[in-house]
Amino acid sequence: MGRYIVRRLLQFIPTVLGTLFLLHYLTTVGIQLTGNPIRALFGDKRPAPETLAALTSRLHLDDPCLKQKGNPCLGLFRERLVDIGQLDFGTNFRFRPVFDWRGFFDRAHASIITDALPYTIKITIIAFTIEALVGVFIGMRAGMKPGKSLDYSVKISTVMVISVPVFVLGILIQQFITRDFGNFLRGQEWIPEVISRGVFGSAYKQEFPFASLIIPGIVLGMLSLATTARLTRTSVHENMRADYVRTAKAKGLTHKRVIGVHTLRNSLIPVATNLGLSIGGYMTGAIITETIFNVPGVGNQTARAIFQGEPAVLIGITTMLVLVYLVANLLVDLLYAVLDPRIRYE
Amino acid sequence: MSDVSVDMSPSLAGVKMTAPLLEVEELKVEFRTRAGIAKAINGVSFEVNSGETLAILGESGCGKSVTAQAIMGILDTPPGYITGGQIRYRGVDLLKRTDEERRLVRANKIAMIFQDALSALNPVFTVGFQLAELFRKHRGMSRADGKKRAVELLDLVKIPAARQRVSDFPHQFSGGMRQRVMIAMSLALDPELLIADEPTTALDVTVQAQIMSLLAELQRERQMGMILITHDMGVVADVADRINIMYAGRIVEKAPVYDIYAKPSHPYTKALLESIPRVDLKGQQLNVIRGLPPNLTRIPAGCAFNPRCRYVRDACKVDPIPPLYEIKPGISSACHFWKEVRGDD
Amino acid sequence: MSDPVTTATSDNPAVIPVQAGPGVNPQGPTQERAASLWSDARRELIRNPIFLASVSFILIVSSMAILPSMWTSKNPRDCDIKFAKLSPSAEHWFGTNVLGCDYYSHAIYGARPSLSIALIATTGVTLIGVVLGMLAGFFGGWVDTLISRIIDMIYSLPFLLGALVILGVLRQSDLLHSDQWWPPVLVVAIVLIILGWVGVARIMRGSVLSAKNLDYVLAAKSLGASNSRLMFRHILPNAIAPVVVVATISLGGYIGAEATLTFLGAGLQPPAVSWGTMIAGNIDYFNEYKYLVLIPCGLLVPTVLSFILAGDALRDALDPKLR
Ligand SMILES: Nc1ncnc2c1ncn2[C@@H]1O[C@H](COP(=O)(O)OP(=O)(O)O)[C@@H](O)[C@H]1O
Ligand SMILES: [Mg+2]
């Protein structure tokens, strides 16, 4: 186990560097193709050259290599790595930092991410809980009785959910459930506000910090819920026919133990890995759901950076998200080894 | 472990200890699949007694494993269904008993060894856990006691350093050692009957011999009945008392082991024997049986072996299917022309 | 270990030995196997109503993309603010939008950018993925190491997030604000290709690695078949099935991806007309004018669904084991 962890950690370093470089390169080419992004901030107005120059230099966008199309700007990459090493992910054009860890403890050091993160964490936890509990449960039941009605409905509904883009699902749910149905609820005197305005509110509300995140959380979890249910189904279904399950039966164990211990333990290995990997999906998902339901989380800030033409913020946030994603992947790998001894002793 | 004085295994109502250990009568199994109904077992009968080894032999796909699974009650249903016959353990027809009664027969009375121990052992649990589980769930032992017994079992099947190896995972064992673990597992609860389904097929030739002699030794010591399933004529010669030859879900020849080798009574048996490589005939062309086993969804009329048979006549190609003709006590053949095959006059 | 007794001799013509030993024309089994795989699949597919329905829908939508004038005589850019937000009527089947443009012609013309992006992206992803995956799997060594490292790197970037950041940076670029319909389509498709080819490459590399050790390939090799012949005659035909399945499904995926990116402001932008811009542009009017959002959604979702269902059906037909 120890050797495995060390090896994984050693492999992790080049992966991080490679991915950060890729991100750097692709965005740099983008800037080279587009031209100075600062200019765009001013729309049709022509800023004074001094203002433009000052801003450009503060945001590290004055490097001459940004004018040479295709140049990988290695110098810039090195600078960026150093910054990242110091947990500096840049600032917006008003010099508000993208990230400052002190912001978690001290309002004076507030930053874009530290302000937004709590919302994103909450919504992700809701989504993840729903995905894991409901998805695994449904998938398990469906996998144990292949060809039965639950199995078919899982098959059909997963295909449905997979083919409806999350944002379409989001806007439909927002319109028909939180607006239309919510308006109906809000018309009923006897329904408590936390339900009618909180849970079924069409946007995030400060007064209902948890209730008004439930539906956005469900929307966020929906996509991976379908995949999880389907994966669990396939995995249980396959493992039900595995030789060692037959052995467990031959050992005269009860049906409950054959399924609950011998089948399930093995079936959940790929599912657990997938649950971890769905974090990557949550990141894009959060951008969509938070935008639709106006949750002031990290995703919302990302979308805002796009709409307001703030590539520095966009790159900063994305870099951080990618780092989180890579760490999550690493943890999933380690979890995999915990669950499957064959990996551990490789 | 033969020092277990009290028999703690649950008893099955109606069991007569004087009755034969296992009698299978006219067993029929079919698989209902999208491609049609595959008649995997078409009326198989045999008997095994304590202390004797019956070998069931035939090409792969002829229904050996399905027979074993039907006896154990671990057939995959669907698609597999038992459509007829009886499986009597000590006079009790298991097919008429409840699931719970059948469950308690497994491992306690009838145990099974599978072909590929790597896939038959659960990859995510230690072998100790998988052995101790039997004692914990069937004998109500604690984890610690279960583990002690697990070590004893590993010793019994001659796994070196059993005390350490008990906490290893299946994939950490070599093929032969893994099959020993499988054997240990099957013997844990002192069963009366052991079904070994191709126990050595997945192993190297040298290891095969060791495993077979271990099995034979344990069977003799404990006076168990054993059904040894194999497709390899070479494996059974030293171990089996009687041999049943199986083809397309039927038994086509029954005989004591010596007679089979000396004077086969069915063309299929004869062909099987001729296909064994023999040292004394080195350099000669090996006779393989031509053609393939029949598709079980479309078994030919008459004798199922007729398309591949050297002795085939018109009578073989039409129903009725040849019955098992009794040639002498203990020897029978399902060939209309057994005399010709044996070379008797 | 196979049974010694069933090692079939070749005097039974009905029996095709699975392993082609030396002496058997190594070309035979490969192509026969691949050919029978596809003809079995075809027989299975033409009896599958879901597949037929999906393909029909795809054909309808494709005809909108290729020949929009066959479907409508109106020009989507012909708008009159006087007739804004008209409900569906005989004159305007799908009503008009906030600028008074005929919404039916928008819906028809919107098919082209959506489908083009998906088609270009899928073609690019498949070509690059197949070639690089095959090179990596076939040659191994440093070629494999290099390609695999690049694949790992791109894989570490969540797909939509990566596309979002690149297109977000490019947002002000002239490329995305062209008067013609194709430059933005091309830009979005290229970004999707850059991030998407790794999936196909991984599948391909895996299939090639396992195909490399199949008996008939080894036999062909031992008979001195050249590398390119091995790849194109022996390995490719058998490794291509999973790629076709993935390509079909990803056509649907990329249509959804375009719409999602557009919704987040990082894809196509008005005046371009695509289903994505139609949804994104009218979201603010959803409450009062539901049809403005429901119509493009009603085209987008079934299209994505059709590709996914068709891909699923293909997979089932091509891989009998999965049934
Ligand atoms: N799970 C199953 N589903 C469908 N058919 C099966 C299944 N298991 C066995 N069969 C059929 O039963 C026949 C006998 O199989 P088996 O008993 O495993 O052969 P063997 O003699 O090699 O052990 C096979 O040819 C196959 O057609
Ligand atoms: Mg078998």
Side-chain angles (χ1 to χ4, degrees), chain B residues 64-65 115 197-198:
Chain B
K64 307 179 299 286
S65 298
Q115 168 175 344
D197 187 0
E198 315 225 13

Side-chain angles (χ1 to χ4, degrees), chain C residues 19-38:
Chain C
Q19 329 86 306
V24 178
N25 174 11
Q27 200 179 325
T30 314
Q31 297 188 339
E32 241 168 67
R33 280 164 37 122
S36 90
L37 178 74
W38 288 101

Side-chain angles (χ1 to χ4, degrees), chain B residues 25-314:
Chain B
E25 202 175 303
E26 283 302 308
L27 181 68
K28 292 193 172 75
V29 177
E30 62 186 37
F31 286 92
R32 300 175 189 156
T33 64
R34 276 177 34 159
I37 294 181
K39 305 217 166 196
I41 310 290
N42 303 299
V44 159
S45 308
F46 58 81
E47 187 185 311
V48 196
N49 285 300
S50 295
E52 79 165 345
T53 298
L54 168 74
I56 298 183
L57 206 141
E59 283 167 302
S60 73
C62 71
K64 307 179 299 286
S65 298
V66 171
T67 309
Q69 287 165 16
I71 297 171
M72 291 297 292
I74 54 173
L75 205 59
D76 288 330
T77 308
Y81 296 88
I82 297 182
T83 51
Q86 292 192 344
I87 298 172
R88 286 194 299 274
Y89 157 74
R90 297 275 182 219
V92 172
D93 183 5
L94 294 176
L95 298 180
K96 294 212 174 67
R97 292 311 176 102
T98 62
D99 287 349
E100 185 60 13
E101 282 174 311
R102 294 211 70 182
R103 175 174 82 75
L104 291 172
V105 170
R106 298 200 266 276
N108 281 303
K109 311 290 185 197
I110 308 180
M112 182 161 173
I113 299 173
F114 294 90
Q115 168 175 344
D116 179 7
L118 182 58
S119 59
L121 292 170
N122 196 324
V124 301
F125 297 114
T126 62
V127 302
F129 176 91
Q130 296 183 58
L131 289 168
E133 187 177 30
L134 284 159
F135 299 110
R136 285 169 46 217
K137 298 298 152 189
H138 286 282
R139 299 283 185 272
M141 284 189 196
S142 68
R143 261 170 205 271
D145 288 345
K147 189 156 175 192
K148 244 181 254 156
R149 301 297 291 268
V151 176
E152 287 172 24
L153 278 172
L154 293 184
D155 268 333
L156 178 79
V157 294
K158 307 193 173 97
I159 291 182
R163 199 170 298 281
Q164 285 85 53
R165 305 238 55 189
V166 75
S167 30
D168 280 355
F169 289 92
H171 71 275
Q172 293 171 283
F173 288 80
S174 68
M177 287 299 149
R178 232 169 358 234
Q179 196 54 279
R180 285 171 195 260
V181 172
M182 216 42 272
I183 294 173
M185 190 178 285
S186 66
L187 297 179
L189 304 181
D190 272 321
E192 291 173 68
L193 175 67
L194 184 61
I195 305 177
D197 187 0
E198 315 225 13
T200 60
T201 306
L203 304 175
D204 294 343
V205 184
T206 45
V207 185
Q208 280 186 5
Q210 296 165 7
I211 295 290
M212 280 318 299
S213 68
L214 174 71
L215 261 180
E217 183 188 322
L218 291 167
Q219 184 256 346
R220 223 175 311 116
E221 264 172 23
R222 302 170 161 237
Q223 282 301 298
M224 289 183 296
M226 181 153 91
I227 300 178
L228 177 62
I229 292 174
T230 175
H231 66 252
D232 187 349
M233 280 231 125
V235 165
V236 294
D238 305 330
V239 185
D241 300 305
R242 291 184 293 121
I243 295 190
N244 283 0
I245 306 282
M246 199 162 175
Y247 187 79
R250 281 172 197 283
I251 290 184
V252 295
E253 175 167 0
K254 299 185 171 203
V257 70
Y258 173 78
D259 298 77
I260 286 268
Y261 285 89
K263 210 173 208 188
S265 317
H266 193 281
Y268 178 60
T269 317
K270 209 164 177 173
L272 280 178
L273 282 169
E274 282 164 6
S275 69
I276 310 178
R278 278 169 44 187
V279 192
D280 52 328
L281 297 179
K282 212 167 151 192
Q284 287 195 17
Q285 171 98 40
L286 213 62
N287 279 312
V288 292
I289 309 178
R290 50 192 177 119
L292 283 183
N295 179 339
L296 295 177
T297 54
R298 280 179 277 121
I299 299 178
C303 171
F305 186 60
N306 82 65
R308 303 166 76 187
C309 183
R310 235 183 301 159
Y311 299 84
V312 63
R313 312 264 175 84
D314 287 343

Side-chain angles (χ1 to χ4, degrees), chain A residues 22-300:
Chain A
L22 183 75
L23 191 62
H24 161 82
Y25 186 57
L26 292 174
T27 50
T28 304
V29 171
I31 293 175
Q32 287 161 346
L33 288 175
T34 314
N36 188 348
I38 302 296
R39 200 186 305 274
L41 286 173
F42 295 90
D44 291 336
K45 284 177 291 194
R46 292 215 151 259
E50 311 82 77
T51 326
L52 192 60
L55 258 177
T56 310
S57 130
R58 277 298 297 270
L59 294 178
H60 300 294
L61 291 168
D62 53 352
D63 198 302
C65 83
L66 286 175
K67 296 210 169 59
Q68 301 156 357
K69 291 187 179 139
N71 188 331
C73 295
L74 291 176
L76 212 55
F77 180 54
R78 194 155 7 90
E79 276 173 40
R80 205 173 262 179
L81 281 185
V82 173
D83 286 347
I84 291 173
Q86 298 163 351
L87 293 179
D88 174 2
F89 291 88
T91 71
N92 71 2
F93 77 105
R94 290 197 191 84
F95 307 122
R96 184 168 148 75
V98 169
F99 178 72
D100 186 338
W101 61 271
R102 290 168 300 186
F104 286 123
F105 313 103
D106 183 359
R107 293 288 324 153
H109 293 282
S111 65
I112 296 179
I113 287 191
T114 48
D115 279 356
L117 199 59
Y119 303 100
T120 305
I121 290 181
K122 265 190 251 170
I123 193 177
T124 309
I125 289 176
I126 295 173
F128 193 80
T129 314
I130 289 171
E131 174 192 353
L133 292 184
V134 181
V136 168
F137 182 75
I138 294 179
M140 223 174 74
R141 300 303 300 264
M144 278 163 55
K145 296 224 163 70
K148 292 282 161 57
S149 55
L150 182 69
D151 185 24
Y152 281 117
S153 39
V154 166
K155 255 192 194 163
I156 294 170
S157 56
T158 50
V159 172
M160 290 307 224
V161 175
I162 289 169
S163 41
V164 181
V166 186
F167 83 94
V168 173
L169 194 71
I171 58 179
L172 293 181
I173 286 182
Q174 184 189 40
Q175 180 62 43
F176 292 111
I177 294 186
T178 64
R179 277 212 197 105
D180 294 348
F181 182 63
N183 279 339
F184 164 76
L185 292 182
R186 288 184 278 278
Q188 312 297 108
E189 290 286 313
W190 54 274
I191 293 177
E193 287 221 317
V194 67
I195 301 286
S196 62
R197 296 189 56 237
V199 177
F200 287 96
S202 61
Y204 175 75
K205 288 187 195 62
Q206 287 296 350
E207 315 102 86
F208 305 108
F210 179 75
S212 62
L213 286 180
I214 291 179
I215 288 190
I218 293 177
V219 172
L220 180 57
M222 203 79 108
L223 179 72
S224 353
L225 176 102
T227 353
T228 301
R230 196 171 177 150
L231 188 67
T232 312
R233 175 195 162 273
T234 324
S235 179
V236 169
H237 184 70
E238 266 168 20
N239 279 294
M240 296 269 294
R241 298 192 225 164
D243 284 354
Y244 54 81
V245 171
R246 185 170 282 156
T247 310
K249 285 185 205 155
K251 283 162 85 177
L253 301 175
T254 57
H255 183 69
K256 222 167 97 189
R257 190 168 173 88
V258 172
I259 299 290
V261 175
H262 287 268
T263 313
L264 205 57
R265 174 67 205 273
N266 284 280
S267 317
L268 286 185
I269 293 174
V271 178
T273 342
N274 179 68
L275 282 176
L277 293 181
S278 58
I279 290 175
Y282 282 146
M283 290 178 172
T284 7
I287 300 175
I288 297 163
T289 4
E290 291 182 358
T291 309
I292 294 175
F293 291 96
N294 215 5
V295 181
V298 178
N300 204 333

